[in-house]
Amino acid sequence: MKKVLMLTFFVLLSAFNTAADEEVTNRVYVQSSEGGAFYVKCVPSEQYGLAGKTYVYQVAAEKDVLLHAFDWYSPEIYIYGFSGGPVTYVVKFGPWHRGREPKKEDLAVAIYKNGELLKEYSTLDFAKDEKNLSVSTGHYTAFSKRLGFRRPWDNQVLFDVGLNNGTIASFDMDSGEIWSKEAEALVKR
């Protein structure tokens, strides 16, 4: 009887894990900046993937102002901006990719400033092997968490992500480059 119960438990557990690994379909959504002065509206053109449109707006009293339009969709976006320009920063993440190993063509993250792509990184840029990935039954991602925007000094804007190896990568939002902790320490002096 004990063996039958344990077998039933493992069958149910494996069925639950498989169901939990199903891909989430794309949806229309809006994501605002901290303080709400800017927002992005993401509109997919397919149930899965990165095809679609993304619009960046500045909030105004009467009618919001369209600042940028992109011919892509992202399931996860972060936006930051300054009204005095306006200056906008957009961080676009790729989805949980199918498979279990990093690929050069799988988008991990892309950095945009004022509507222009500064830098794109693939999952292979952050995870040279499966040990540095977060892997489910049939999908993977290169990051463990999104820590968000920060301004360590003056108008310098960085975006931090947690990597699966326990370290943090900081993106310089004016260049798209990965900012080293050593460089940050020198600038702060």
Side-chain angles (χ1 to χ4, degrees):
M1 181 64 167
K2 185 176 181 181
K3 286 183 183 180
V4 171
L5 286 174
M6 286 183 66
L7 180 60
T8 304
F9 172 76
F10 285 117
V11 168
L12 289 173
L13 183 62
S14 109
F16 174 75
N17 284 340
T18 302
D21 194 44
E22 289 182 25
E23 258 178 284
V24 176
T25 58
N26 291 338
R27 82 247 180 256
V28 176
Y29 70 96
V30 171
Q31 178 67 45
S32 72
S33 65
E34 183 178 314
F38 300 91
Y39 65 94
V40 292
K41 179 179 179 181
C42 299
V43 182
S45 59
E46 304 171 333
Q47 279 192 311
Y48 304 101
L50 300 175
K53 299 275 186 188
T54 297
Y55 306 96
V56 177
Y57 293 91
Q58 182 174 13
V59 176
E62 295 297 318
K63 184 176 180 192
D64 296 347
V65 179
L66 176 63
L67 298 175
H68 314 291
F70 300 106
D71 287 328
W72 48 256
Y73 170 84
S74 174
E76 185 177 10
I77 286 186
Y78 293 80
I79 183 169
Y80 191 87
F82 298 102
S83 295
V87 176
T88 57
Y89 302 105
V90 173
V91 179
K92 166 190 169 187
F93 285 95
W96 277 70
H97 294 285
R98 294 176 181 162
R100 298 183 63 83
E101 61 184 63
K103 297 180 190 107
K104 187 169 180 61
E105 61 272 8
D106 286 350
L107 174 70
V109 65
I111 309 296
Y112 292 81
K113 179 182 179 185
N114 295 333
E116 291 188 39
L117 174 65
L118 297 178
K119 191 92 171 166
E120 237 178 16
Y121 295 92
S122 76
T123 57
L124 195 57
D125 291 326
F126 293 98
K128 303 300 182 201
D129 58 43
E130 193 176 309
K131 290 185 302 196
N132 291 325
L133 296 175
S134 178
V135 180
S136 67
T137 305
H139 298 86
Y140 78 93
T141 185
F143 304 120
S144 61
K145 57 188 161 192
R146 283 76 160 138
L147 301 169
F149 292 101
R150 65 185 170 98
R151 289 178 58 187
W153 60 94
D154 298 329
N155 285 331
Q156 179 68 43
V157 179
L158 301 177
F159 189 91
D160 297 332
V161 294
L163 303 178
N164 291 303
N165 64 8
T167 62
I168 294 173
S170 299
F171 299 98
D172 180 335
M173 295 306 298
D174 288 314
S175 69
E177 298 294 325
I178 296 175
W179 189 260
S180 72
K181 295 296 176 195
E182 295 80 20
E184 186 174 334
L186 288 174
V187 172
K188 283 184 176 179
R189 288 184 183 177

